[in-house]
Amino acid sequence: MHQEIELKLFIPTQVKHLLIELFNDWPNSITEPQQYLTNYYYDTPSLSLAKLDCGFRVRAWNNQFEQTIKTAGNVSGGLHTRPEFNVAIKDNHPNLLLFPHNIWPSDCDVSQLNRNLLCLFETNFKRSTWRVTFNNSIIEVALDYGEVIAHEQHEPICELELELVSGQVADIIELACKISQHCPIKLGLHSKAVRGYLLSQKVPIKRYLSQAMNLNNLMAQPCASHYAQILRYWQHIELDLLQIHQLLANATQSQQSQLANELGLRWQWLLKCLNEIQQHLSSVKSCSTVVSKGLLLSEQLKSYLSQDITALTADNIQAHYQQLWQQPYYGKLQLQLLSLSH
């Protein structure tokens, strides 16, 4: 069993070559051969594994095969911590019986699960990898570029994963801060597996929020758990923006008006959230330098806050959101909150 601890960062596709050059020249790093990875994700028709909070895949590369199951873990910001079990296999046929028996609930019929497995989706991508010695830690940096595929649906993958091989979690966050000085980033809350389940439409798209959160109460008593709540709220707004926009694509005419209103509300919540976080962190000594360098985002926020939300279409909001998160300061602000929450 391996305890996976990794920080997931989403990046714009146009900066992937910049990142490859950056890490090829990074001090105290070893560049590993680039690989093309094909990943088949399995579950039963009733999603028995998902209900157990397990993700199961078979990975293929260079005529080698490995099956992996990730069991229930924790996601905080973009920091993912999960137990992971890997088994080398001869081909791409999955077999749950090869995993240790003690990972399953006592009442779980693993043989029955095994018989009912089917492939729900794939994630196929090129992976560039570097092993970096940073401070007192060894961190595996992986740049993945490809797509999630579910039936006829496709969704791009462009993300950076920082996995702690040995050392301190704080060093992963600090390395991410260094990276954010070179390109825009956004903390990734959803794993590739979750994105695949959503794309396959096997699980319903849900709203994470029903109302705006009052951040002032949390900021009035700053502590790690409150900063974690603030960051989670921010990321849930992001997910709602993306997922309501997806729902609009297949909505009936009667549904479109309500969904458009919901989208506009989330956009307002995001702008207000960013504005309040920025104002609060400007008074936090350890964050004041980063906040003071965020004037461009401040100006963009002001222009967005002054807009008439009712005049914006769903596509307008989506385009504004894409522009906003690709501002260099956006990801730096998220990383400040993540650092304060640990």
Side-chain angles (χ1 to χ4, degrees):
M1 191 272 284
H2 165 64
Q3 182 80 357
E4 180 186 64
I5 302 173
E6 70 176 19
L7 183 62
K8 188 179 293 292
L9 307 174
F10 293 153
I11 60 171
T13 56
Q14 65 268 23
V15 305
K16 65 180 188 296
H17 295 301
L18 182 153
L19 282 170
I20 290 172
E21 292 175 6
L22 178 69
F23 278 102
N24 282 343
D25 296 332
W26 197 276
N28 302 314
S29 70
I30 299 170
T31 303
E32 299 183 358
Q34 189 180 72
Q35 295 178 318
Y36 185 81
L37 305 177
T38 302
N39 305 274
Y40 305 94
Y41 283 81
Y42 292 85
D43 207 333
T44 68
S46 60
L47 305 183
S48 301
L49 293 176
K51 291 171 183 174
L52 292 172
D53 199 11
C54 291
F56 177 49
R57 70 165 186 242
V58 171
R59 171 167 289 172
W61 76 102
N62 296 337
N63 294 317
Q64 299 179 65
F65 300 89
E66 181 182 67
Q67 64 176 34
T68 296
I69 193 162
K70 298 184 182 184
T71 55
N74 179 59
V75 180
S76 174
L79 195 65
H80 298 243
T81 306
R82 296 188 79 171
E84 176 182 289
F85 300 83
N86 302 302
V87 178
I89 53 178
K90 294 181 180 179
D91 51 37
N92 64 350
H93 292 93
N95 186 355
L96 293 172
L97 298 172
L98 296 177
F99 293 119
H101 299 300
N102 61 3
I103 72 171
W104 305 104
S106 58
D107 59 348
C108 181
D109 187 342
V110 183
S111 296
Q112 182 68 27
L113 290 181
N114 211 45
R115 286 192 292 271
N116 292 335
L117 288 176
L118 72 160
C119 184
L120 297 183
F121 57 90
E122 302 173 27
T123 65
N124 303 324
F125 50 86
K126 286 183 180 178
R127 168 167 285 181
S128 300
T129 309
W130 301 266
R131 184 160 288 226
V132 177
T133 301
F134 185 78
N135 293 339
N136 297 315
S137 298
I138 298 175
I139 300 168
E140 183 178 272
V141 178
L143 173 62
D144 294 340
Y145 179 68
E147 59 182 352
V148 185
I149 306 168
H151 308 299
E152 300 300 318
Q153 302 297 314
H154 296 252
E155 186 175 296
I157 293 170
C158 192
E159 61 188 45
L160 199 65
E161 294 179 350
L162 311 182
E163 182 173 352
L164 187 65
V165 178
S166 65
Q168 304 297 318
V169 170
D171 288 338
I172 296 183
I173 300 173
E174 186 178 340
L175 178 58
C177 291
K178 298 283 186 185
I179 295 167
S180 72
Q181 294 173 9
H182 298 272
C183 70
I185 63 97
K186 178 177 69 161
L187 293 178
L189 195 60
H190 275 174
S191 65
K192 296 183 186 72
V194 171
R195 293 173 64 188
Y197 273 104
L198 288 168
L199 192 64
S200 71
Q201 300 179 353
K202 295 294 183 182
V203 296
I205 294 176
K206 68 176 183 178
R207 280 78 147 182
Y208 284 85
L209 300 168
S210 58
Q211 61 184 18
M213 180 183 286
N214 185 343
L215 299 185
N216 291 328
N217 292 338
L218 295 172
M219 292 174 177
Q221 298 178 317
C223 62
S225 63
H226 285 182
Y227 285 124
Q229 288 181 58
I230 293 167
L231 179 55
R232 189 181 307 115
Y233 171 63
W234 179 351
Q235 292 181 298
H236 282 174
I237 299 174
E238 291 180 323
L239 291 175
D240 273 3
L241 277 172
L242 295 172
Q243 294 181 180
I244 293 171
H245 191 264
Q246 283 183 297
L247 288 171
L248 269 165
N250 299 310
T252 64
Q253 191 167 2
S254 61
Q255 294 170 328
Q256 287 177 358
S257 177
Q258 179 186 341
L259 288 170
N261 288 336
E262 289 185 34
L263 196 69
L265 272 177
R266 268 50 171 204
W267 179 238
Q268 287 180 311
W269 295 351
L270 178 65
L271 297 177
K272 187 172 183 289
C273 170
L274 280 170
N275 201 39
E276 291 178 358
I277 290 170
Q278 182 175 255
Q279 290 178 12
H280 169 73
L281 291 186
S282 64
S283 65
V284 178
K285 188 175 181 181
S286 62
C287 305
S288 57
T289 301
V290 171
V291 174
S292 68
K293 292 179 180 178
L295 296 177
L296 284 176
L297 182 58
S298 299
E299 292 304 312
Q300 192 159 21
L301 274 176
K302 288 177 185 176
S303 69
Y304 286 149
L305 285 165
S306 65
Q307 287 179 331
D308 178 7
I309 297 294
T310 60
L312 294 176
T313 66
D315 287 341
N316 289 151
I317 292 173
Q318 186 69 1
H320 288 336
Y321 169 63
Q322 293 297 325
Q323 291 170 359
L324 189 63
W325 85 255
Q326 293 184 38
Q327 292 293 320
Y329 179 61
Y330 190 96
K332 291 179 182 178
L333 199 59
Q334 286 191 329
L335 286 167
Q336 286 289 334
L337 283 177
L338 182 62
S339 181
L340 290 168
S341 69
H342 281 79

